Amino acid sequence: AADNAKMDTMAVQNVLLERRTVTAFDATPISEDVLRRAIECAIRAPNYSESEPWRFISVGPETARQIAQLRGDELMKNGNYEGAGAKMKRWMGIPGWCVVTTKLNDDPIVEREDFASTASAVQNFML
């Protein structure tokens, strides 16, 4: 059992050490099964008082286009015209979008804990 635990630990360490940010995507659509498995991993994150503050929203191409447009508009408003076009083009090439939000809370301590829980969930989701 100890050998298996050590191998499992090393496998997790390798995933963490080799993790990279991906900015180039092919056009392969993300299947519902892959999204569901990623969310199942995400919701295993620790969370304050079992609040499960995260919300996962799969958005379609039109909503993704609008999000990319909003970001492009913001960059252009700040004078970054070249960056805006490049960012919009890159964002539109992402084959599937899942937006993650945190539910709001009037208690600032709970809200901070919920934000940290959601950040942990996003980390799990991305791994």
Side-chain angles (χ1 to χ4, degrees):
D3 286 340
N4 286 342
K6 185 176 180 179
M7 287 175 34
D8 289 346
T9 299
M10 290 174 61
V12 170
Q13 286 175 337
N14 286 337
V15 167
L16 293 172
L17 293 172
E18 295 173 6
R19 188 202 71 77
R20 299 289 179 265
T21 299
V22 176
T23 58
F25 301 91
D26 64 22
T28 305
I30 307 301
S31 72
E32 287 293 320
D33 186 51
V34 168
L35 181 59
R36 187 176 322 283
R37 285 193 324 253
I39 292 172
E40 285 173 3
C41 291
I43 65 175
R44 299 299 191 271
N47 60 96
Y48 181 75
S49 298
E50 298 180 12
S51 61
E52 299 182 355
W54 41 71
R55 300 295 179 263
F56 295 86
I57 305 159
S58 179
V59 300
E62 178 56 25
T63 303
R65 187 196 65 71
Q66 291 175 7
I67 292 169
Q69 182 69 53
L70 283 171
R71 181 61 181 139
D73 291 349
E74 186 65 24
L75 288 170
M76 288 195 314
K77 187 169 83 176
N78 292 325
N80 188 350
Y81 302 106
E82 281 185 41
K87 177 82 68 176
M88 288 174 57
K89 182 178 179 183
R90 186 165 54 89
W91 280 21
M92 290 310 303
I94 297 172
W97 285 58
C98 183
V99 175
V100 184
T101 64
T102 302
K103 67 181 180 180
L104 300 176
N105 193 298
D106 292 333
D107 182 334
I109 294 171
V110 172
E111 187 157 336
R112 186 176 62 237
E113 291 293 333
D114 284 349
F115 179 81
S117 297
T118 301
S120 296
V122 168
Q123 179 72 20
N124 285 4
F125 181 90
M126 292 173 63
L127 290 175

